[in-house]
Amino acid sequence: EEAAVCNLGNKKVFKEKKKIETEEWLKNSRGEKRLISITKNPKLNKEGEVEYVVCSAEDITAQKEKQRMIEELHKIAIDFKELKNEREISKMTVEAAENLLDFNLCNIVLTKGKELVSFASSSDFEQKKISISEKSLAAKTHLEGRSFIIDDLQKNLEAVESNKYYKSAMSIPIGSYGVFQAAASEKNGFSENDLELAEILIAHVTAALDRIYAQEKIKEQKDFLSTILEVQSGLVLLLDSEGKIICFNKACEKMTGYTKNEVKGKKVWDLFIKENEKEEVKKVFNQLKNKDYPNKHENHWITKAGEERQISWSNNVILDDEDKIKYIV
């Protein structure tokens, strides 16, 4: 069957009189299937006929497998977007390292205070907290921010306390967040190719943790701002640059009779301001856009129950990176 495929290619190059390139699966002398990249280049005589064909071939099995692995690793980035916390990300990382990269002993440690704490690992991997100041391969990787392959752990000063079952290891920093570790039960268990593929995986892990931590920081800031708003005894509204209500504190709810959900997204002058004073309020907002910040004003607000209240108010603006109004307080 292999010869038949090869002969078809030979006939094609003699007939078309131009170079052809193919990829064909062939068995070697040990019966292993190998993917071969074959080039058949015709040599033409003076009459323009094919005199002979030069064939060259390259075993690209490993190259294609690496390409496939890289594609699979990039697909994992999509799966990471669905995860919600450090532990879920760590668990999926270990599973990917075991299933895709064929690593048997993996561990993820993340920094918590002055320690590196294990968040997920293979069942046979020895788990323990590691002080960042302690002499260890994980601490060295984290502090220096670079990857290591250790071919013989028992001869490595940073790994002298490691489990005697482990003979070689690979250690990769996860940004500034922690370290990915892989160990093997034999010496020289990891190649530069293993390291390259593992670093692609860890790049996606770092991006996923960036997202998680950024979301946590935003939530903390929102919670902090909400607390500040709620403890204010005066009326506090957070508006966008068009005057739409984003946030509304409890003092506002109590005075107007509206809930936060009822007012969110509505323009302040459409909801509260007395009809004959709306244009005056809009004018103030236009002044803000022109960076002409007016002083304190007084207007009449109408509550949900139809009652009229006289309100003294002033504005502060929050600008974005382009110096344009992002929020009005």
Side-chain angles (χ1 to χ4, degrees), residues 67 79 105 137 147 164 190-191 209 251 290 292 295 307 317:
Q67 183 179 330
D79 296 331
L105 298 161
L137 182 58
S147 302
K164 299 298 181 184
F190 301 98
S191 65
L209 290 172
N290 294 323
D292 175 17
N295 296 322
E307 297 173 341
V317 297

Side-chain angles (χ1 to χ4, degrees), residues 1 46 65-66 131 177 199 206 214 216 237 267 275 321:
E1 290 178 3
K46 291 179 181 179
E65 176 61 16
K66 181 178 179 180
S131 171
Y177 306 133
E199 285 183 330
T206 304
E216 288 177 354
L237 297 88
K267 291 187 177 180
E275 190 63 36
D321 294 338

Side-chain angles (χ1 to χ4, degrees), residues 101 103 170 172 180 193-202:
L101 304 182
F103 297 163
M170 181 165 57
I172 301 172
F180 169 80
N193 185 61
D194 290 328
L195 178 62
E196 183 181 347
L197 292 172
E199 285 183 330
I200 291 172
L201 172 62
I202 299 310

Side-chain angles (χ1 to χ4, degrees), residues 237 239-246 262-273 278 281-282 285 289:
L237 297 88
L239 314 173
D240 67 13
S241 60
E242 301 302 317
K244 292 180 181 178
I245 299 170
I246 298 170
E262 287 178 305
V263 302
K264 195 171 183 179
K266 292 185 171 62
K267 291 187 177 180
V268 66
W269 49 78
D270 289 338
L271 199 60
F272 305 124
I273 307 301
K278 286 184 180 181
V281 175
K282 290 180 187 178
F285 273 81
K289 287 184 179 180

Side-chain angles (χ1 to χ4, degrees), residues 25 45 71 85 87 92 137 147 156 158 172 180 222 231 304 323-324:
W25 284 98
N45 60 23
E71 289 171 357
N85 56 55
R87 204 161 291 280
M92 181 175 281
L137 182 58
S147 302
N156 184 271
E158 282 84 10
I172 301 172
F180 169 80
K222 283 183 176 178
V231 298
K304 189 176 182 179
D323 210 28
K324 293 179 180 177

